[in-house]
Amino acid sequence: MTSLLVIIVLVLLAVALWQLTKIFDLTQVGSTSDSSQVATDDDNNVQGYLMFGFLAFIYIFTIYGLFKWGGLVLHTPASAHGAQVDYLMNITWILIFVVQAITQVLLHYFAFKYRGRKDQKALYFADNNKLEAIWSVIPAVVLAGLILYGLYAWTNIMFVDEDEDVIVIELYAQQFKWTARYAGEDNVLGKANVRYIEGINTVGMDVADPYSQDDFVASELHIPKGKKVHFKMRSQDVLHSAYFPHFRAQMNCVPGMVTEFAFEAVYTSAEYRELPYMIEKVAKINEIRAKKNIELAAKGLTALDPYSFDYLLICNKICGSSHYNMQLKVVVDTPEDYKIWLSEKVALVKEIKASKTEAPVEGGTIIDSSKVKDTVAVSKIAMK
């Protein structure tokens, strides 16, 4: 209702302004004015100076943005390859800023210098081979160098040797959650297919595959520090994107195919929380939340919990209405803590078998779910 009223007010305001312009035109009847709609030297001078004003606005706003929001960008990378990604990004930013600074200054300066003047004609020439060579060759060389360096960095990051000692983990994406499936002791993931999805087997693992017998799933992703992890990604429904912002890793999850990415964590979760910049960032967030809690308390609403940092896996594709909530907590453990965490996990095959043999208790007796299904089937046949 409020939106409708706002729209009505805006429409009425537009109509009122339109009527005011018509009234103003009527008041000018009989007065002498230049109605030729041809720009004069004064008009061109104003437009020329406005070019410099707009140029100043661009650079003032850019500088303001760097100081205002510069601290919001990602800081120290938490993966071994992260520094290489940041270096490539910084080179790209520098090139963009340099080119933008030069081209915008020239663009606005020439718009002022060659503004329209009485009895002045523009110099026309069909082509200039020297200029064509300059503005074609220089960008081509710069972009080629940037692309080649990017391909070199990408190849180094994505390369995983077949004999390399890695941990294999599957990331299964679905609207709107992530599930991690670990390859177990054999470090080989069992086969999986959406046709096998049933009950607690939400990732569609083939329980008959020998490699599936030690696979287990987790709703919280744990990885060890100093060990490369090879992620294999699947999607159940739509296009998702597995994005680890602090690890500088991202890969699309495409229905019907398996995509891959690998990285090595260099900071545990506890170590990253103790970085000076992160301590300062958490303090600022909690300061903002404290002020917000005063407002919430005045309205009788629930207060916000204090913020504490955790690595996150998030979806970086707009995959539906709850896309914003599709995230998974990532915990980087020490190798010792990771082994302890692994020892507490139960294979998914065992969980599936347990779920099939146990059913809700009736009268204090555990009912075999398979027998219940058979009884129901027999009763349906008898009714027919």
Side-chain angles (χ1 to χ4, degrees):
M1 189 63 183
T2 303
S3 301
L4 179 61
L5 289 173
V6 171
I7 293 172
I8 293 173
V9 169
L10 291 175
V11 171
L12 292 175
L13 182 61
V15 172
L17 290 174
W18 177 53
Q19 293 296 329
L20 285 172
T21 57
K22 293 179 66 176
I23 294 171
F24 178 77
D25 290 339
L26 290 173
T27 61
Q28 303 301 311
V29 174
S31 61
T32 58
S33 60
D34 184 5
S35 59
S36 65
Q37 297 187 357
V38 176
T40 64
D41 285 352
D42 290 337
D43 295 331
N44 291 327
N45 287 333
V46 170
Q47 294 298 320
Y49 287 114
L50 283 176
M51 283 292 176
F52 281 122
F54 187 69
L55 179 65
F57 167 77
I58 291 175
Y59 287 109
I60 290 171
F61 186 78
T62 300
I63 295 170
Y64 170 79
L66 289 174
F67 283 100
K68 178 69 175 179
W69 301 295
L72 299 179
V73 299
L74 292 172
H75 204 274
T76 308
S79 63
H81 74 267
Q84 195 172 7
V85 173
D86 284 1
Y87 182 69
L88 180 59
M89 179 62 76
N90 290 335
I91 290 176
T92 305
W93 279 121
I94 292 170
L95 286 173
I96 290 173
F97 276 120
V98 170
V99 172
Q100 188 258 2
I102 295 173
T103 55
Q104 290 298 320
V105 167
L106 291 176
L107 175 66
H108 290 80
Y109 170 71
F110 284 124
F112 171 79
K113 181 178 180 180
Y114 298 107
R115 64 193 183 278
R117 293 174 186 170
K118 188 177 181 180
D119 300 328
Q120 178 176 274
K121 293 183 179 180
L123 175 64
Y124 173 79
F125 54 91
D127 58 72
N128 187 311
N129 293 333
K130 186 176 181 180
L131 283 176
E132 293 283 353
I134 290 173
W135 68 48
S136 297
V137 173
I138 293 178
V141 172
V142 173
L143 286 175
L146 192 62
I147 292 169
L148 289 174
Y149 179 71
L151 289 173
Y152 170 78
W154 178 253
T155 302
N156 286 342
I157 293 169
M158 293 297 294
F159 178 75
V160 178
D161 194 346
E162 293 182 358
D163 299 328
E164 193 172 356
D165 185 19
V166 298
I167 297 172
V168 179
I169 301 174
E170 179 185 74
L171 296 176
Y172 190 66
Q174 60 188 118
Q175 294 174 314
F176 297 95
K177 71 172 185 176
W178 297 96
T179 304
R181 178 165 67 112
Y182 288 71
E185 294 183 4
D186 61 9
N187 209 32
V188 179
L189 288 167
K191 295 178 181 178
N193 194 294
V194 291
R195 296 183 180 89
Y196 299 133
I197 295 176
E198 182 183 5
I200 64 172
N201 186 12
T202 57
V203 296
M205 187 182 72
D206 182 1
V207 296
D209 187 352
Y211 291 116
S212 298
Q213 304 311 303
D214 58 354
D215 292 0
F216 66 89
V217 296
S219 58
E220 191 174 87
L221 181 61
H222 281 249
I223 58 176
K225 172 188 173 181
K227 182 85 168 183
K228 181 175 280 191
V229 182
H230 187 180
F231 292 100
K232 297 189 176 184
M233 306 166 194
R234 290 191 299 133
S235 172
Q236 176 177 304
D237 34 52
V238 299
L239 186 66
H240 299 278
S241 185
Y243 179 40
F244 299 86
H246 293 90
F247 300 100
R248 310 298 194 264
Q250 177 174 303
M251 181 58 66
N252 287 344
C253 305
V254 185
M257 66 181 295
V258 177
T259 53
E260 304 176 64
F261 202 101
F263 66 78
E264 175 189 336
V266 295
Y267 292 102
T268 66
S269 297
E271 289 172 344
Y272 205 86
R273 291 189 191 104
E274 297 302 318
L275 293 179
Y277 103 90
M278 183 52 68
I279 293 174
E280 181 181 353
K281 184 174 183 178
V282 171
K284 286 182 179 179
I285 293 174
N286 284 325
E287 182 181 345
I288 294 171
R289 290 196 173 195
K291 293 179 181 178
K292 184 67 176 178
N293 284 337
I294 296 174
E295 299 176 10
L296 294 174
K299 297 177 182 178
L301 300 175
T302 305
L304 300 172
D305 294 329
Y307 171 74
S308 59
F309 170 78
D310 282 306
Y311 293 124
L312 287 176
L313 163 64
I314 59 178
C315 178
N316 210 20
K317 286 285 186 293
I318 301 177
C319 56
S321 58
S322 294
H323 154 76
Y324 68 95
N325 201 35
M326 187 172 171
Q327 58 186 15
L328 180 68
K329 181 180 176 180
V330 181
V331 180
V332 180
D333 297 311
T334 61
E336 296 76 20
D337 289 341
Y338 180 70
K339 289 179 181 178
I340 294 172
W341 180 82
L342 282 181
S343 65
E344 299 171 350
K345 295 302 167 185
V346 179
L348 180 58
V349 169
K350 293 181 180 179
E351 292 184 350
I352 293 172
K353 290 179 179 178
S355 67
K356 288 183 177 180
T357 55
E358 294 183 4
V361 177
E362 293 183 5
T365 306
I366 295 177
I367 300 173
D368 190 329
S369 60
S370 61
K371 291 181 180 179
V372 172
K373 291 181 181 178
D374 293 341
T375 304
V376 172
V378 170
S379 62
K380 287 182 178 179
I381 294 172
M383 290 174 68
K384 289 182 180 180

